[in-house]
Amino acid sequence: VSDEIAKLKYKEPQSTKIVQLEQELVRAEAQSLVAEAQLSNVTRQKFKVAYDQHLTATIERAEKQAILAKHARRLLNLIDDTPIVPGDTHPAFAEEEAARQVLNDAEADLRDYRLDVEPISSNSGSLGVGAMPGSTVDNSAVAQPT
């Protein structure tokens, strides 16, 4: 539209179509600003939701890994590391029951695990259908922590 205005101003500086095209350009720029704001609003909202889910999963994995590491250390204590001389053999593993108990404890701890994270606040609840503040609200896309 700006190219058309420039051409008309060069060819026909007194044309009434110039005013009409300038108004059309103002409307197009306004629509572009609205679309840009909508995209920015949705992008920020989706970015925050995605990172909330990612970080929640990271916390859950780390906490479960810590549970397993603690039980693995218990298993490590069951290994006989008594030095032997050449020709001797280590005795058979005598801690089967204790090892089985450690595994059972680990399974039980993982079963009983409950994720406890601070909820992420969101100010995008006022975003409406057009991804602009103040229009009819549609919160179906907002993820809730699990």
Side-chain angles (χ1 to χ4, degrees):
V1 175
S2 12
D3 290 345
E4 288 181 44
I5 293 172
K7 286 178 189 175
L8 267 177
K9 282 185 177 181
Y10 179 73
K11 290 182 181 178
E12 302 174 37
Q14 302 303 322
S15 175
T16 56
K17 193 171 183 183
I18 293 175
V19 174
Q20 180 185 359
L21 288 173
E22 286 175 340
Q23 290 173 348
E24 189 178 320
L25 179 62
V26 168
R27 279 192 299 276
E29 287 174 344
Q31 286 175 340
S32 176
L33 286 174
V34 168
E36 210 172 284
Q38 288 172 329
L39 180 61
S40 177
N41 291 341
V42 169
T43 301
R44 286 174 180 270
Q45 180 186 24
K46 297 299 181 186
F47 176 82
K48 194 168 179 178
V49 167
Y51 259 92
D52 176 30
Q53 291 173 348
H54 172 72
L55 295 172
T56 298
T58 300
I59 291 167
E60 182 176 358
R61 179 177 178 267
E63 289 176 351
K64 287 180 177 181
Q65 196 166 358
I67 289 170
L68 291 174
K70 289 175 184 175
H71 290 290
R73 289 178 55 86
R74 288 177 53 204
L75 285 173
L76 198 56
N77 272 330
L78 299 178
I79 295 174
D80 180 11
D81 63 347
T82 306
I84 59 169
V85 293
D88 285 350
T89 58
H90 280 285
F93 186 67
E95 301 291 339
E96 293 92 2
E97 284 187 35
R100 173 50 51 200
Q101 186 57 50
V102 170
L103 293 176
N104 289 339
D105 292 347
E107 289 174 351
D109 285 351
L110 288 175
R111 248 191 328 272
D112 296 341
Y113 172 80
R114 297 293 174 258
L115 180 64
D116 181 27
V117 292
E118 181 179 327
I120 299 296
S121 64
S122 175
N123 296 321
S124 68
S126 62
L127 280 185
V129 175
M132 296 298 288
S135 40
T136 307
V137 177
D138 176 17
N139 284 333
S140 62
V142 177
Q144 301 299 322
T146 56

